[in-house]
DNA sequence: CCGGATCCGTAACGATACTG
DNA sequence: CAGTATCGTTACGGATCCGG
C-alpha cells in the first residue's frame, strides 16, 4: 500500500518520484505528440501491459500531469492529454532525447519504430539561434502519417496533421525520415535517395534541414556490441582533483 | 540474463534504457557533485542496497558514463567519477531538477537531506542572461560542508571545497540554505534569519541571489495531501483539437 | 573499515484472460 | 473500447558474509 519513494529532500528525487518509474516518460512522450485514447497508448507502447498503463495513467492524473478530455462530436471519444504541468516536461524530454541519441544504434529487426518518434527528435535538434531568418512551412508525408514543420522568427511549431499553407511538401518513408532525423545518414545521401521526394520550394526545405539541425556525425561506438574488444578494466589514475571529497 | 529494454527505435527510449532504471539518475547526481567512493555513494543514497549499487555502477561503467579513478597519494582511495559522456547528462538532470521543484513540499520528518543537493538546484536555477554583468566569487559554509559560487561573464562555476579568493563568505545551516535555494522562503526572510550570516561584500551576494535565481513563489498545492478536497473526476470537454488523432 | 558478493523475502512488472 | 483481475516472473531492498 505504501508507495515507493526516494524520501530525499531534493527536487531531482522529488521529480523522479513522480515520473521516474518505468514507462512513465514514454507515456508523456506519446501525449506530447498528441492527445491519445487508451488504446492508442497501448499500441504505441508495446510491452507495457494494460494493467500497468492503467495504473500509470491514474498516477499521472492524480499528480496533475494528465487529464481526460472528451473530443467534440461526432468523434466523441475520450482521450488523455497533458495538462500545462505535464507539458512542462517537454524541456526534460528534449534534453533526454538529445542525450539518448548516441545510444541509438542501427535499427535491429526486433525494435519497433514509429514516424511520430521523429517529431520529438526534430524538436530536440532544433536550434532557435540558427533559424532566426528562416520562415517557412512544409508538410511531410510518411506513408499515411502526415505532419508539418512551421518555422517562424526563430520559433518552431511541429505537429501531426496537415499544414494550412505549406510552401513545400516532402514524401518519404519512415526509414529515410529516421535516418535523417537521427543523424544516421548525411543530408546529401538522404535527398538523393529514391524514397525522398520534394515538391514545391525544395530549396528552402534543404536550407532548413542544413542550418537548423545538428550536423553531428552520429558516433555510435559499441552501443550494441556487448563485448568491446579491448575493454580495459584498469582504473584511471587521476592527476589532480580540483574539488575535494565530501 | 536478458536485459529489459523498451525495444523502440527512439532516442528517448534508447536513453531511458541506459539511465531509466531506479536510482541511476541519483547516482549520476551524486557524481555530478563530485567523484565519490563506493561507501560515500552508499551513504548518500539511503535505501539502495549494496548489491543494487554495485550492479548500477557496473552498468554505468559499461555504458561509458562512469569510470574508476585512483586518487593521488596519500589519499590513495579509488573513486567513481563521470566520464565526458556521463557529464553530458547535466543538462537533463538540471531540467528534471527544475521541473521536480514543484513537487518538493515541506520537509517531512522522514525525508533525508544533504546540503550537496542544493548545489544542483543552484545550477538549475542559474539564468546566464541575467548574470552578464555580475562578477564575483563567494564561499558558503553549511555546518562542515563548504562550497563556492563563482560567477564570471555570464558563466557559473559551483563546486564543493574552499574558494581561492572569495569576495564574501556566507555561513548558514542546511535548513536555511534549502529554503532559499528551493524557493520556500523569500530572500528577505532568509537574510534576516539569525542563522544567516554574511561577511565581506554582502551586497554583491544579495544582488547575485536577487537577479540570478528564479523569484518564483514556489507553488506546492496538494503535493503531499493525498486526498485533495474537491477532486473532480469529471472529464474535461475539449473545445477544438488542433491536431488530429494519429 | 572498505569494497563489494550472496542470499532471500517482497514489491513491481508483463502477459493473458476476463468484464462492463 | 476501456479498462479490471489474476498470476508467473523479474527487479528491488535489507541483511549477512567475506576477502583485502
Amino acid at each position: 500500500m505504501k508507495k515507493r519513494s526516494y524520501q530525499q529532500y531534493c527536487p531531482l528525487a522529488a521529480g523522479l518520484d513522480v515520473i521516474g518509474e518505468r514507462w512513465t516518460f514514454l507515456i508523456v512522450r506519446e501525449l506530447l505528440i498528441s492527445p491519445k485514447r487508451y488504446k492508442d497508448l497501448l499500441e504505441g507502447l508495446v510491452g507495457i501491459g494494460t494493467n500497468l498503463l492503467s495504473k500509470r495513467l491514474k498516477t499521472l492524473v492524480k499528480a496533475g500531469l494528465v487529464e481526460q478530455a472528451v473530443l467534440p462530436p461526432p468523434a466523441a471519444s475520450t482521450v488523455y492529454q497533458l495538462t500545462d504541468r505535464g507539458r512542462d516536461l517537454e524541456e526534460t524530454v528534449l534534453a533526454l532525447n538529445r542525450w539518448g541519441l548516441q545510444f541509438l544504434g542501427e535499427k535491429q529487426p526486433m525494435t519497433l519504430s514509429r514516424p511520430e518518434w521523429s517529431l520529438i527528435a526534430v524538436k530536440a535538434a532544433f536550434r532557435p539561434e540558427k533559424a532566426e531568418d528562416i520562415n517557412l512551412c512544409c508538410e511531410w508525408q510518411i506513408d499515411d502519417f502526415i505532419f508539418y514543420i512551421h518555422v517562424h522568427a526563430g520559433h518552431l511549431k511541429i505537429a501531426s496533421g496537415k499544414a494550412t499553407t505549406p510552401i513545400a511538401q516532402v514524401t518519404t518513408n519512415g526509414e529515410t525520415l529516421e535516418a535523417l532525423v537521427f543523424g544516421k545518414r548525411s543530408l546529401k545521401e538522404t535527398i538523393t535517395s529514391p524514397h525522398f521526394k520534394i515538391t514545391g520550394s525544395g530549396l528552402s526545405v534543404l536550407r532548413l534541414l542544413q542550418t537548423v539541425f545538428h550536423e553531428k556525425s552520429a558516433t555510435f561506438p559499441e552501443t550494441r556490441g556487448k563485448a568491446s574488444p579491448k575493454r580495459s578494466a584498469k582504473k584511471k589514475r587521476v592527476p589532480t582533483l580540483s574539488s575535494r571529497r565530501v
Side-chain angles (χ1 to χ4, degrees), chain A residues 11-227:
Chain A
L12 180 66
L16 287 171
D17 275 338
V18 177
I19 41 106
E21 289 179 291
R22 191 162 169 77
W23 291 108
T24 311
F25 256 113
L26 297 187
I27 294 174
V28 171
R29 177 197 64 188
E30 292 298 301
L31 298 182
L32 267 176
I33 295 166
S34 77
K36 284 188 172 59
R37 291 173 305 168
Y38 188 89
K39 196 202 173 198
D40 299 326
L41 290 169
L42 211 52
E43 287 175 355
L45 304 171
V46 177
I48 191 179
T50 170
N51 56 348
L52 193 53
L53 175 58
S54 172
K55 185 180 173 187
R56 290 284 183 271
L57 285 172
K58 270 178 193 158
T59 305
L60 287 172
V61 168
K62 221 179 301 186
L65 310 185
V66 167
E67 63 189 1
Q68 279 188 292
V70 187
L71 295 188
S77 58
T78 71
V79 295
Y80 290 92
Q81 64 187 12
L82 292 177
T83 63
D84 288 342
R85 187 186 285 188
R87 223 176 330 267
D88 287 342
L89 267 169
E90 177 172 307
E91 190 191 346
T92 304
V93 167
L94 296 185
L96 198 43
N97 199 93
R98 277 187 290 271
W99 183 82
L101 193 58
Q102 64 191 305
F103 296 100
L104 200 65
E106 290 301 321
K107 186 152 97 181
Q108 304 298 112
M110 290 304 296
T111 60
L112 311 159
S113 79
R114 303 182 149 238
E116 304 175 45
W117 308 166
S118 297
L119 300 205
I120 303 283
V122 169
K123 229 174 186 174
F126 183 71
R127 292 170 297 177
E129 70 278 9
K130 296 277 187 180
E132 276 161 7
D133 54 343
I134 291 184
N135 193 332
L136 73 88
C137 178
C138 55
E139 189 177 296
W140 293 65
Q141 173 143 9
I142 287 79
D143 303 328
D144 58 347
F145 176 68
I146 298 177
F147 71 96
Y148 64 89
I149 300 178
H150 188 156
V151 177
H152 175 65
H155 186 268
L156 169 72
K157 172 87 194 296
I158 178 169
S160 54
K162 292 182 71 68
T164 51
T165 55
I167 197 179
Q169 289 177 311
V170 181
T171 304
T172 184
N173 58 14
E175 195 263 334
T176 305
L177 175 67
E178 287 157 8
L180 172 65
V181 170
F182 298 156
K184 294 302 182 194
R185 227 174 276 159
S186 73
L187 183 56
K188 188 183 167 193
E189 279 178 288
T190 300
I191 62 178
T192 56
S193 159
H195 302 108
F196 192 86
K197 296 195 188 74
I198 302 185
T199 64
S201 175
L203 238 62
S204 59
V205 173
L206 293 189
R207 184 156 163 270
L208 171 71
L209 297 176
Q210 215 164 26
T211 65
V212 165
F213 301 112
H214 295 288
E215 61 286 289
K216 60 172 49 179
S217 48
T219 60
F220 40 104
E222 84 270 25
T223 305
R224 280 288 175 185
K226 8 190 16 175

Side-chain angles (χ1 to χ4, degrees), chain A residues 224-239:
Chain A
R224 280 288 175 185
K226 8 190 16 175
S228 59
K230 307 188 68 172
R231 217 166 68 61
S232 67
K234 294 273 77 176
K235 296 173 185 175
K236 186 178 183 180
R237 186 162 295 272
V238 89

